[in-house]
Each structure stands twice: as structure tokens, then as C-alpha cells.
Amino acid sequence: MSSRTSGRASGRGRGRPSTAARTRRRTVAQALITFLARQYTERDGHRRRLIGATWGIFGHGNVAGIGQALVESSEDMRYLQGRNEQSMVHAAVGYARQSNRLSAQAVTTSIGPGATNLVTGAALATVNRLPVLLLPGDAFATRPADPVLQQLEVASAGDVSVNDALRPVSAYFDRVTRPEALVPAALAAMRVLSDPAATGAVTLALPQDVQAEAYDWPEEFFAERVWRVRRQPPDPDELADAVRLVREARRPLLVAGGGVRHSAAEEELAAFADATGIPVASTQAGKGSLHHDHPCDVGGIGHTGTATADELAATADLVIGVGTRWTDFSTASATLFQNPDVRFLNLNVTGFDAHKLAAHPLVADARTAVRRLAAGLAGHRVEPAYVTEYSGAKKRWERRVEAAFTAGEDTARPTQAQVLGALDALVTGEDIVINAAGSLPGDLHKLWRARSHDQYHVEYGYSCMGYEIPAAIGVQLAAPGRPVWALVGDGTYLMSPTELVTAVQEGLPVKVVILQNHGYASIGGLSETVGAERFGTAYRFRAADATYIGPPLPVDLAANAASLGMRLIRAGTIGDLREALAEARAADAPTCVYVETETADTVSGVPPAQAWWDVPVAETATRIAAVEAREEYDRHAATRRRHL
């Protein structure tokens, strides 16, 4: 990635006088917003605004600085009003992911709780390698009154503020304590935001007095600037090693991660699979890299994966990771790849990820690397018997999907899987489905049939409850005119429903599906398997012995959504659900479909986990459930491998 100032766009050319001596007097905040409005990315000849809009909640610390600057720059920088700082970051992350990391949004907050509310969203962005610019207010740099309202005091360090909590969750952090320091800080921020190998949350902490301070800025600072997003080619020696490894393999398996999507490498991946016959599994972030009906697509991999993919992984002699960071869910906590001779080949834009699992690295842009690897493998194809094997397994798994999706009587209450089945029968490749936490990510990874490269949007790097609704807003902003669905359980809905007001205010026709099962289905199931006996995972229980005492709490989440301005459709039965989803899809206003599903302990028909996940169990216990769970844990833990 490189940057340049566009002479044509800024009106400069050969023979014109230098702008270096010309200045413009502005406050720091005014200068920053003007600067941000003139930053662009360019990849493959396509140019986009780098910072498409600024989210904000105002208080002391940003209202007189960034807030005033946004008023002055309203024609150049769109302002979006949020209701919760964490949710604003989630919305910006959804926007960035839908934009393939080529466009991002900024988020401004006051000092104190406004700033600390950013931490969870920042961690989610950085974990998922997605760009977002954070502009929290900070305490006075000049310290005219010390402390000010909401200032953190540290007796041993006078320069620490609550914003320092953002350091470990930011890909880049700076505190702008002098006006002239904004120039290098702003340029560094853009560099990181536009660099696919370094991106994540970028934080520029802005002391409130400095925001309002005037300075004579060089005109050059405000010239349009284009940040080219490079497609890094592979090293020739690494590429030669990669070609040799694939040619030597008899049971190769490719695992597609989010990097395939960020690089827009889906067509190259499909061509690679067509030519070689190598089966393609996917992580949560990579699902949709191949359409579900592609012959080589074998579904999700790991703890939430399909039996097809996980059985292939157990016997693979070469695992090709493309754009994946290899989390424990994808590797089944290092128990998935059991072939004693298995080797790994990682194609990744970052060397950090490319070397994981002691892999042979191919550090490069995913699209470029897949294309060149395919060229090096011209004429190579896996044995026909291997294709027959995984094709048959894929058909068997598809029958299990059909069984889970198949609806019962129209008058029956649907299971969660049947809700997904009804939606699956309705959507086209145009629709985008968003989820992040609870039991839905597992069901979606196993069952969902991705019809387009960007239909499946499950945030599972941080798996943050409360992500879905604000992310749907960000996605809708990035993909106007497309049906955007936020699937939320009752637990995640209660974490952060307030951005529904933002969707209503902005007139964004997001479709929110609330699945009410009166408890935490995912963690309840996990609690049972680790011997914690579902303690604290239902809404009505006796703390002394964790006994469920029902009935459900008299809480009406549908009425809550309606009170926040959503158009509401209640669906009591499978028949109602089909009609409600179709009505919501056609709606041009924010719409909520509320459906009460069968409770968490009712069999839904979803196949259980096909691979293990390491959650330590009490080594000593008096209750039989925990003792038995520990025995099961030890059995699985014994199969862990350290790949070297």
C-alpha cells in the first residue's frame, strides 16, 4: 500500500506555484474532519471514500470540537447519530466488512464513559482485521483544571487517561496533544486503516482543549489523497514450495477464511477448485467464498462445521489455509487435523497469520496468490476417487440439512432450525444475513446455504452479543437497496436494542428477526456439557440449586421493538412465520418479525457439534455431572496435537 496526493484532484500540476507556503487557519477538529473527507482508497482502478461517514454521540470532550467541525463540514462529511458508543463501532464494522475494507467510518465520543464504551467494539474490529477510526475525546492537555469531570486520576502517572484502555485493542493509537501533531498522526491513521496487513481499530485520542485550538495548517494537508491498497504478490520461492506441496498431496483440503472475501478472491477460488478438484471448507468469516451448490464446497469447518468438512480434515495430508487466522473453533482446539503426516500451507497477507500451525507460508494478497498458485498447478487434479468420496459425503450432509429445515404442521410453533429453513426458502443471493452470538452461529455455519459471496455475515472472531442490529445498519448503509436481515436471540437482543431507533431515524429498512426461547440456549448447552448443569442460563431459576422454576418472565420483546419505532409482525406458528418473513422482505421501512421458538431443551433437529471445543472442566467436583464431564474432557484433550 502506498499513498500519493492527486495533483489533478487538488488542482496542482507542473509549472504551478507550490502550495507549501499557503496556510489555512482552522481548529484541530475542523482540520481533521476536512482532512478525513478528502481521503480515498484505490484498488484495481476503483476509487472510494476512505471515511464514508462519522458516527457520534456528543458530550463534553467532543461537542465543542468534533461536533462543531461536523456542523461546518456537513456537506462533505455525513453525520450519523448513534445511541450507544459500542453499537456505533459495531455499525462501522458492519459497513467496513460489507465494503471489503476499502471504506470505513469514524466514531466520535465524549470523554469518560463515552470513550470507555468504545473498548468492546474496538476489540471486535481489531480481532476481525476490520478498519474503524475512533475519535474519543480526552481530558485537557493543558490541565487548566485538574481533574475535570469524568477524568481518571492515576497517582503515579499524570499522562494516563481512560483512553489508554484502547491501546491494547487498537491496531494504531495516538494522542494528539498539540495541533501540529495532528499531521503525522492523521497520516499514520490512514496508512493503517488502508493497509490490509495492519488494519483494525485506529484510535486518535483528542484532548478537548486541543480540538478547539486554532492553527495555521499547510494547504497540502487538505489536498485529496489516494491510498492504494496493494495486492502483494507472492515470493517466487514460497510459491514454488506451495506448488510442490499441492502436487505431492493426495488428500488436500482448502480452508477459506475471511481474507478471501476481503481480497475479492471468490472467482479465483472457484476457478482453482474447478481446475484442481480440491474440496473447499470455510471458516465462519469465509463461508460464502464458494456458493453452497458448488461441487467442491463442503461447508463449514471445525466445532460448528459439517461432518463432511470435519471428516476430510481428519484425514487430510495437506491443509491449505487461505485468508484464515486459524482460531480454536476452526481447528477444534487443535484436535481436528489427525493425519500424522499432515502439513499446512497458509496463503495470507500477513506473515503473522501465514506462519501459524508451523505452516509453509505464502505471504501475499489472496486473489493474487490463488491465481498464481493455480497457474503453477496447471493440469494437476486430485484423484477421481477423492472427488467421489467428498461428493457423496456432501450429499449425505445435505439430507441432514433438509431434515433440520423441514417445517412441521403450519399450526405448530417452529424450532430455531425451522425458522432458518423458512428464511432459506425465501431469500435470494441479493439478501444479506447477519448474526454473531448465541446458538445461531453454530446452526448457520452447519446449515445455511450461501447463495452469494457476501450473503453470510456472521461475526465470530469476537462473537459479540449485541452486534447484529447495529451491524445491520452499517451493512444497509453500505448496500442500499438490498434486503438486510439481523437474526437475534432474546439474549443478544437484550444486550443492545437501542440502535433500532437509529434505523427508524435514518429510514433504513433493516429486517430484524427476534427468536424468543426464554434463555441462553448456546451457553445453556455448553453449561450442561461441562457439568455446570445450565446454572444461570434460563430467565427463571432458583440460585440455590439452579432448578428451573418457570414460567417465562412476563417480558414482551416484540412490544419493546414496536415502542422503539419498528414495524412489528408477530409470528406464532410456522404458517405465520412464512407470511411474516415475506412481508418483512418486501417492506420499505424498518421491520421486526417476532417468533417464539421451541425452548432450548427441545430437540431442534440440528446436527450436534461434529468436532470438539476446549472449555476446561473442573478437575475436582462433588456433583456427578461435573465428574462425568471431566472424564469426557480428558478423553478429548488427549487428542490435541502441537503441529510442528
Coordinates of all heavy atoms in Angstrom, one line a residue, residues 455-509:
Q455 N -23.5 -12.9 1.2 CA -24.7 -13.1 1.9 C -24.6 -13.4 3.4 O -25.3 -13.0 4.3 CB -25.6 -14.2 1.2 CG -26.9 -14.5 1.9 CD -27.7 -15.5 1.2 OE1 -27.5 -16.7 1.4 NE2 -28.6 -15.1 0.3
Y456 N -23.6 -14.2 3.7 CA -23.4 -14.8 5.0 C -22.4 -13.8 5.8 O -21.3 -13.7 5.5 CB -22.7 -16.2 4.9 CG -22.6 -16.9 6.2 CD1 -23.7 -17.7 6.7 CD2 -21.5 -16.9 7.0 CE1 -23.6 -18.5 7.8 CE2 -21.4 -17.6 8.2 CZ -22.4 -18.4 8.6 OH -22.3 -19.1 9.7
H457 N -23.0 -13.2 6.8 CA -22.3 -12.2 7.6 C -22.4 -12.6 9.1 O -23.3 -12.1 9.8 CB -22.8 -10.8 7.3 CG -22.1 -9.7 8.1 ND1 -21.7 -8.5 7.4 CD2 -21.7 -9.5 9.4 CE1 -21.1 -7.7 8.3 NE2 -21.1 -8.3 9.5
V458 N -21.6 -13.5 9.5 CA -21.5 -13.9 10.9 C -20.2 -13.5 11.6 O -19.2 -13.9 11.1 CB -21.7 -15.4 11.1 CG1 -21.6 -15.9 12.5 CG2 -23.1 -15.8 10.6
E459 N -20.3 -12.6 12.5 CA -19.1 -12.1 13.3 C -18.8 -13.1 14.3 O -19.4 -13.1 15.4 CB -19.4 -10.7 13.8 CG -18.2 -10.0 14.4 CD -17.8 -10.6 15.8 OE1 -18.6 -10.6 16.7 OE2 -16.6 -11.1 15.9
Y460 N -17.8 -13.9 14.1 CA -17.5 -15.0 15.1 C -16.0 -14.8 15.6 O -15.6 -15.7 16.3 CB -17.7 -16.4 14.5 CG -18.3 -17.3 15.6 CD1 -19.4 -17.0 16.3 CD2 -17.6 -18.5 15.9 CE1 -19.9 -17.8 17.3 CE2 -18.1 -19.3 16.9 CZ -19.2 -19.0 17.6 OH -19.7 -19.8 18.6
G461 N -15.3 -13.8 15.1 CA -14.0 -13.6 15.7 C -14.1 -13.2 17.1 O -13.3 -13.6 18.0
Y462 N -15.0 -12.3 17.5 CA -15.3 -11.9 18.8 C -16.6 -12.3 19.4 O -16.8 -12.3 20.6 CB -15.2 -10.3 18.9 CG -14.7 -9.8 20.2 CD1 -13.5 -10.2 20.7 CD2 -15.3 -8.8 20.9 CE1 -13.0 -9.7 21.9 CE2 -14.9 -8.3 22.0 CZ -13.7 -8.7 22.5 OH -13.2 -8.2 23.7
S463 N -17.5 -12.8 18.5 CA -18.8 -13.4 18.8 C -19.5 -12.5 19.9 O -19.8 -12.9 21.0 CB -18.7 -14.8 19.4 OG -19.9 -15.4 19.5
C464 N -19.7 -11.2 19.5 CA -20.2 -10.2 20.5 C -21.7 -10.1 20.5 O -22.3 -9.7 19.5 CB -19.5 -8.9 20.1 SG -19.8 -7.6 21.3
M465 N -22.3 -10.5 21.6 CA -23.7 -10.2 21.7 C -24.0 -8.7 21.6 O -23.3 -7.9 22.1 CB -24.2 -10.7 23.1 CG -24.1 -12.2 23.3 SD -24.6 -12.8 25.0 CE -26.4 -12.6 24.9
G466 N -25.1 -8.4 20.9 CA -25.4 -7.1 20.6 C -24.9 -6.5 19.3 O -25.2 -5.3 19.0
Y467 N -24.2 -7.3 18.6 CA -23.5 -6.8 17.3 C -24.6 -6.7 16.2 O -24.5 -5.8 15.3 CB -22.4 -7.8 16.9 CG -21.8 -7.6 15.5 CD1 -20.8 -6.6 15.3 CD2 -22.2 -8.3 14.4 CE1 -20.3 -6.4 14.1 CE2 -21.7 -8.1 13.2 CZ -20.7 -7.2 13.0 OH -20.1 -7.0 11.8
E468 N -25.5 -7.6 16.2 CA -26.3 -7.8 15.0 C -27.1 -6.6 14.5 O -27.1 -6.3 13.3 CB -27.3 -9.0 15.2 CG -26.6 -10.4 15.4 CD -26.3 -10.7 16.8 OE1 -26.3 -9.8 17.6 OE2 -26.0 -11.8 17.1
I469 N -27.8 -6.0 15.4 CA -28.7 -4.9 14.9 C -27.9 -3.7 14.4 O -28.1 -3.2 13.3 CB -29.7 -4.5 16.1 CG1 -30.7 -5.6 16.3 CG2 -30.4 -3.2 15.7 CD1 -31.5 -5.4 17.5
P470 N -26.9 -3.2 15.2 CA -26.1 -2.1 14.6 C -25.3 -2.5 13.4 O -25.2 -1.7 12.5 CB -25.2 -1.7 15.8 CG -25.2 -2.8 16.7 CD -26.5 -3.5 16.6
A471 N -24.8 -3.7 13.3 CA -24.1 -4.1 12.1 C -25.0 -4.1 10.9 O -24.6 -3.8 9.8 CB -23.5 -5.5 12.3
A472 N -26.3 -4.5 11.1 CA -27.2 -4.5 10.0 C -27.4 -3.1 9.5 O -27.5 -2.8 8.3 CB -28.6 -5.1 10.5
I473 N -27.4 -2.1 10.4 CA -27.5 -0.7 10.0 C -26.3 -0.3 9.1 O -26.4 0.3 8.1 CB -27.6 0.2 11.2 CG1 -29.0 0.0 11.9 CG2 -27.4 1.7 10.8 CD1 -29.1 0.7 13.2
G474 N -25.1 -0.7 9.6 CA -23.9 -0.4 8.8 C -23.9 -1.1 7.5 O -23.5 -0.5 6.4
V475 N -24.3 -2.3 7.4 CA -24.4 -3.1 6.1 C -25.4 -2.4 5.2 O -25.1 -2.3 4.0 CB -24.7 -4.5 6.4 CG1 -25.0 -5.3 5.1 CG2 -23.6 -5.2 7.1
Q476 N -26.5 -2.0 5.8 CA -27.5 -1.4 4.9 C -27.0 0.0 4.3 O -27.3 0.3 3.2 CB -28.8 -1.1 5.7 CG -30.0 -0.7 4.9 CD -30.6 -1.9 4.2 OE1 -31.4 -2.6 4.8 NE2 -30.3 -2.1 2.9
L477 N -26.2 0.7 5.1 CA -25.6 1.9 4.6 C -24.7 1.6 3.4 O -24.6 2.4 2.5 CB -24.9 2.7 5.7 CG -25.8 3.3 6.8 CD1 -24.9 3.7 8.0 CD2 -26.5 4.5 6.2
A478 N -24.0 0.5 3.5 CA -23.0 0.1 2.5 C -23.7 -0.6 1.3 O -23.1 -0.6 0.2 CB -21.9 -0.8 3.1
A479 N -24.9 -1.1 1.5 CA -25.5 -1.9 0.5 C -27.0 -1.4 0.4 O -27.9 -2.2 0.6 CB -25.4 -3.4 0.7
P480 N -27.2 -0.2 0.0 CA -28.6 0.3 -0.1 C -29.4 -0.5 -1.1 O -28.9 -0.8 -2.2 CB -28.5 1.8 -0.4 CG -27.1 1.9 -1.0 CD -26.3 0.9 -0.4
G481 N -30.6 -0.7 -0.8 CA -31.5 -1.4 -1.8 C -31.5 -2.9 -1.6 O -32.4 -3.6 -2.2
R482 N -30.6 -3.5 -0.8 CA -30.6 -5.0 -0.6 C -31.3 -5.3 0.7 O -31.2 -4.6 1.7 CB -29.1 -5.5 -0.6 CG -28.4 -5.3 -2.0 CD -27.0 -5.8 -1.9 NE -26.9 -7.3 -1.7 CZ -25.8 -7.9 -1.6 NH1 -24.6 -7.3 -1.8 NH2 -25.8 -9.2 -1.4
P483 N -32.0 -6.5 0.7 CA -32.6 -6.9 2.0 C -31.5 -7.3 3.0 O -30.7 -8.2 2.7 CB -33.5 -8.1 1.5 CG -33.6 -8.0 0.0 CD -32.3 -7.3 -0.4
V484 N -31.5 -6.7 4.1 CA -30.5 -7.0 5.2 C -31.3 -7.5 6.4 O -32.1 -6.8 7.0 CB -29.7 -5.7 5.5 CG1 -28.7 -6.0 6.7 CG2 -29.0 -5.2 4.3
W485 N -30.9 -8.7 6.8 CA -31.6 -9.4 8.0 C -30.6 -9.5 9.2 O -29.5 -10.0 9.0 CB -32.0 -10.8 7.6 CG -32.9 -10.9 6.4 CD1 -32.6 -10.9 5.1 CD2 -34.3 -11.1 6.4 NE1 -33.7 -11.1 4.3 CE2 -34.8 -11.1 5.1 CE3 -35.3 -11.1 7.5 CZ2 -36.1 -11.3 4.8 CZ3 -36.6 -11.2 7.2 CH2 -37.0 -11.3 5.8
A486 N -31.1 -9.1 10.3 CA -30.4 -9.2 11.6 C -31.1 -10.3 12.4 O -32.3 -10.1 12.7 CB -30.4 -7.9 12.4
L487 N -30.5 -11.5 12.6 CA -31.1 -12.6 13.3 C -30.6 -12.5 14.7 O -29.4 -12.6 15.0 CB -30.7 -13.9 12.7 CG -30.9 -14.1 11.2 CD1 -30.6 -15.5 10.7 CD2 -32.4 -13.7 10.8
V488 N -31.5 -12.4 15.7 CA -31.1 -12.2 17.1 C -31.9 -13.1 18.0 O -33.1 -13.2 17.8 CB -31.2 -10.7 17.6 CG1 -30.2 -9.8 16.8 CG2 -32.6 -10.2 17.4
G489 N -31.2 -13.7 18.9 CA -31.9 -14.4 20.0 C -32.4 -13.4 21.1 O -31.9 -12.2 21.0
D490 N -33.2 -13.8 22.0 CA -33.6 -12.9 23.0 C -32.5 -12.4 23.9 O -32.5 -11.3 24.3 CB -34.7 -13.6 23.9 CG -34.3 -15.0 24.4 OD1 -34.1 -15.9 23.5 OD2 -34.2 -15.2 25.6
G491 N -31.5 -13.2 24.1 CA -30.4 -12.8 25.0 C -29.6 -11.7 24.3 O -29.3 -10.7 24.9
T492 N -29.2 -11.9 23.0 CA -28.5 -10.8 22.4 C -29.3 -9.6 22.1 O -28.8 -8.5 22.1 CB -27.8 -11.4 21.1 OG1 -26.8 -10.5 20.6 CG2 -28.8 -11.5 20.0
Y493 N -30.6 -9.8 21.9 CA -31.5 -8.6 21.7 C -31.4 -7.7 23.0 O -31.3 -6.5 22.9 CB -32.9 -9.0 21.4 CG -33.8 -7.8 21.3 CD1 -34.0 -7.1 20.1 CD2 -34.6 -7.4 22.4 CE1 -34.8 -6.0 20.0 CE2 -35.5 -6.3 22.3 CZ -35.5 -5.6 21.1 OH -36.4 -4.5 21.0
L494 N -31.5 -8.3 24.1 CA -31.5 -7.5 25.4 C -30.2 -6.8 25.6 O -30.1 -5.9 26.4 CB -31.8 -8.5 26.5 CG -33.3 -8.9 26.6 CD1 -33.4 -10.0 27.6 CD2 -34.2 -7.8 27.0
M495 N -29.1 -7.2 24.9 CA -27.8 -6.6 25.1 C -27.8 -5.2 24.5 O -27.2 -4.2 25.1 CB -26.7 -7.4 24.4 CG -26.2 -8.5 25.3 SD -25.1 -8.0 26.6 CE -24.7 -9.6 27.3
S496 N -28.5 -5.0 23.3 CA -28.3 -3.7 22.6 C -29.4 -3.5 21.6 O -29.2 -3.5 20.4 CB -26.9 -3.6 22.0 OG -26.8 -2.3 21.4
P497 N -30.7 -3.2 22.1 CA -31.7 -3.0 21.1 C -31.9 -1.5 20.7 O -32.6 -1.2 19.8 CB -33.0 -3.4 21.9 CG -32.7 -3.1 23.3 CD -31.2 -3.3 23.5
T498 N -31.1 -0.6 21.3 CA -31.4 0.8 21.2 C -31.1 1.3 19.8 O -31.7 2.4 19.4 CB -30.6 1.6 22.2 OG1 -29.2 1.2 22.1 CG2 -31.1 1.4 23.6
E499 N -30.2 0.7 19.0 CA -30.0 1.2 17.7 C -31.1 1.0 16.7 O -31.1 1.5 15.6 CB -28.7 0.6 17.1 CG -27.4 0.9 17.8 CD -27.2 2.4 18.1 OE1 -27.5 3.2 17.2 OE2 -26.9 2.8 19.2
L500 N -32.2 0.3 17.1 CA -33.4 0.3 16.3 C -33.9 1.7 16.1 O -34.4 2.0 15.0 CB -34.5 -0.6 17.1 CG -34.2 -2.1 17.2 CD1 -35.4 -2.7 18.0 CD2 -34.1 -2.7 15.8
V501 N -33.7 2.5 17.1 CA -34.1 3.9 16.9 C -33.3 4.6 15.8 O -33.9 5.4 15.0 CB -33.9 4.7 18.3 CG1 -34.3 6.2 18.1 CG2 -34.7 4.0 19.4
T502 N -32.1 4.2 15.7 CA -31.2 4.8 14.6 C -31.8 4.4 13.3 O -31.8 5.1 12.3 CB -29.8 4.4 14.8 OG1 -29.3 4.9 16.1 CG2 -28.9 5.0 13.7
A503 N -32.1 3.1 13.1 CA -32.6 2.6 11.9 C -33.9 3.3 11.5 O -34.1 3.7 10.3 CB -32.9 1.1 12.0
V504 N -34.8 3.6 12.5 CA -36.0 4.3 12.3 C -35.7 5.7 11.9 O -36.3 6.3 10.9 CB -36.9 4.2 13.5 CG1 -38.1 5.2 13.4 CG2 -37.4 2.8 13.8
Q505 N -34.8 6.4 12.6 CA -34.5 7.8 12.3 C -33.9 7.9 10.9 O -34.2 8.9 10.2 CB -33.4 8.3 13.3 CG -32.9 9.7 13.1 CD -32.0 10.2 14.2 OE1 -32.4 10.3 15.3 NE2 -30.8 10.4 13.9
E506 N -33.0 7.0 10.5 CA -32.4 7.1 9.2 C -33.3 6.5 8.0 O -32.9 6.5 6.9 CB -31.0 6.4 9.2 CG -30.0 7.0 10.1 CD -29.6 8.4 9.7 OE1 -29.6 8.7 8.5 OE2 -29.2 9.2 10.6
G507 N -34.4 5.9 8.4 CA -35.2 5.3 7.4 C -34.6 4.1 6.7 O -34.8 3.9 5.5
L508 N -33.8 3.3 7.4 CA -33.1 2.1 6.9 C -34.0 0.9 7.0 O -34.3 0.5 8.1 CB -31.8 1.9 7.6 CG -30.8 3.1 7.4 CD1 -29.6 2.9 8.3 CD2 -30.4 3.3 6.0
P509 N -34.4 0.2 5.9 CA -35.3 -0.9 6.0 C -34.7 -2.2 6.4 O -34.9 -3.2 5.8 CB -35.9 -0.9 4.6 CG -34.7 -0.5 3.7 CD -34.0 0.6 4.5

